[in-house]
């Protein structure tokens, strides 16, 4: 049975259909305390093209996850503008953001007192006026879309493996059929087999649902297998956003240490292995 919500790929095109998925301009993020003033982003610009998988990499404290949360509208930048499909995130509101953006948090962020099905269905219950039957049917479609069996629906998060938690959280991120998916360290904490399976799932969903993906990851295999472009955060801004081979060739201390240091041999192997086109 079809999901109760229309797939994002089939949505009627709006005025911004031909434009970028995300535009970030002149972004500044400042955290202040009685002891100090910390500038994380300063004059940061970034464009996310429709249909791409853009990965954010950077050192500790460069604000990669903060940037994801700002795109989602969970945090407000100190200055600057973020637009999703041509509309300011600050004007979208909770329902508008949920219909355009799904987010997979690093540790899943499932509600421990809710069953798997209740976790997946939660955004629908909160933001849509649908019958319980339609909500359950839509949640079951997403459960199976992420490769889980129907009998998992009534399980509790405490009974799930790490890989299953990631898949349930992904199903919840997709329940509103958003065109934009944000991933924060999607394979963190997974064993190699579970990580490989999850990356394969993400590739399939990106293709089949015509998703645009913005991802934060430190894992080189995940980075090179999924990314069509990489944006590097350093010096409080995006210093380059380009195809992986062009990023590696870019001269900057962080890029030299991240890609060409102890992990450089693996990076070169992956560069030869993946064509960077999904």
């Amino acid at each position: 049975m079809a999901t109760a919500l229309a797939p994002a790929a089939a949505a009627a095109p709006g005025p911004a259909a031909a434009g970028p998925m995300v535009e970030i301009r002149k972004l500044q993020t400042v955290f202040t305390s009685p002891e100090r003033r910390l500038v994380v982003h300063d004059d940061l610009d970034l464009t996310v093209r429709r249909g791409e998988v853009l990965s954010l990499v950077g050192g500790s404290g460069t604000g990669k996850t903060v940037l994801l949360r700002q795109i989602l509208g969970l945090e407000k930048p100190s200055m600057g503008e973020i637009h999703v499909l041509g509309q300011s995130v600050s004007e979208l509101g909770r329902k508008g953001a949920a219909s355009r953006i799904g987010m997979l948090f690093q540790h899943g962020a499932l509600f421990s007192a809710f069953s798997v099905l209740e976790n997946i269905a939660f955004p629908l219950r909160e933001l849509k006026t649908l019958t319980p039957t339609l909500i359950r049917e839509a949640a079951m479609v997403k459960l199976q879309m992420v490769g889980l069996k129907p009998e998992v629906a009534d399980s509790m998060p405490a009974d799930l493996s790490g890989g299953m938690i990631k898949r349930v959280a992904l199903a919840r991120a997709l329940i509103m059929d958003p065109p934009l998916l944000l991933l924060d360290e999607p394979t963190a904490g997974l064993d190699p087999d579970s990580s490989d399976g999850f990356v394969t799932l993400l590739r399939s969903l990106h293709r089949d649902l015509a998703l645009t993906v913005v991802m934060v990851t430190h894992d080189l295999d995940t980075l090179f297998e999924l990314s069509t472009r990489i944006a590097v955060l350093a010096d409080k801004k995006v210093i380059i956003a380009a195809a992986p081979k062009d990023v590696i060739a870019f001269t900057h201390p962080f890029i030299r240490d991240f890609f060409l240091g102890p992990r450089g041999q693996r990076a070169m192997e992956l560069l030869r292995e993946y064509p960077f086109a999904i």
Side-chain angles (χ1 to χ4, degrees):
M1 178 174 180
T3 179
L5 302 178
M21 179 62 68
V22 180
E23 284 188 285
I24 302 174
R25 294 290 175 262
K26 305 295 182 183
L27 190 80
Q28 185 182 70
T29 304
V30 181
F31 296 110
T32 59
S33 70
E35 292 79 23
R36 63 172 179 164
R37 179 177 183 268
L38 177 64
V39 180
V40 177
H41 305 135
D42 190 20
D43 201 27
L44 183 151
D45 292 331
L46 180 65
T47 297
V48 181
R49 303 165 184 163
R50 293 169 65 91
E52 73 174 338
V53 179
L54 177 75
S55 291
L56 301 173
V57 301
S60 177
T62 53
K64 302 178 294 297
T65 297
V66 169
L67 193 58
L68 290 186
R69 292 174 63 86
Q70 289 171 338
I71 294 171
L72 189 59
L74 295 179
E75 296 185 21
K76 292 184 178 180
S78 305
M79 292 180 61
E81 289 289 333
I82 302 176
H83 289 81
V84 175
L85 288 173
Q87 187 170 0
S88 171
V89 169
S90 62
E91 298 173 354
L92 280 176
R94 188 182 176 199
K95 287 188 177 182
S99 67
R100 292 167 174 80
I101 311 167
M103 181 159 181
L104 175 64
F105 295 92
Q106 181 173 347
H107 301 295
L110 299 183
F111 299 109
S112 60
F114 288 3
S115 70
V116 164
L117 196 72
E118 289 169 335
N119 266 284
I120 296 171
F122 181 79
L124 285 184
R125 289 200 181 96
E126 291 290 299
L127 302 171
K128 293 285 185 180
T129 305
L130 297 172
T131 66
T133 299
L134 284 176
I135 290 174
R136 180 177 178 81
E137 289 175 352
M140 289 298 292
V141 168
K142 290 300 187 289
L143 178 73
Q144 295 175 75
M145 183 182 289
V146 298
L148 294 175
K149 297 179 179 179
E151 50 264 33
V152 176
D154 296 322
S155 301
M156 302 301 290
D159 300 322
L160 304 179
S161 67
M164 293 172 74
I165 287 173
K166 293 275 191 180
R167 288 173 184 256
V168 173
L170 179 59
R172 183 179 61 187
L174 295 172
I175 192 65
M176 301 286 285
D177 293 309
L180 174 62
L181 179 63
L182 309 180
L183 305 174
D184 190 8
E185 299 287 359
T187 58
L190 299 181
D191 62 68
D193 287 342
S194 296
S195 179
D196 289 346
F198 199 64
V199 168
T200 298
L201 172 64
L202 291 171
R203 285 174 61 87
S204 297
L205 292 173
H206 168 256
R207 179 188 64 242
D208 296 343
L209 301 180
L211 290 169
T212 301
V213 179
V214 180
M215 173 176 68
V216 169
T217 184
H218 286 90
D219 181 71
L220 284 183
D221 290 80
T222 303
L223 179 71
F224 280 99
E225 187 166 356
L226 287 176
S227 304
T228 52
R229 282 199 305 152
I230 297 173
V232 180
L233 274 65
D235 305 327
K236 301 181 175 61
K237 53 178 60 70
V238 175
I239 59 170
I240 184 173
K245 61 182 178 61
D246 296 323
V247 169
I248 290 178
F250 189 73
T251 303
H252 188 277
F254 172 77
I255 291 175
R256 181 190 63 232
D257 294 341
F258 188 83
F259 291 110
L260 304 178
R263 301 191 295 179
Q265 181 176 351
R266 181 58 179 158
M268 292 300 103
E269 291 172 355
L270 292 166
L271 188 63
R272 290 190 293 269
E273 182 175 351
Y274 295 116
F276 310 116
I278 299 178

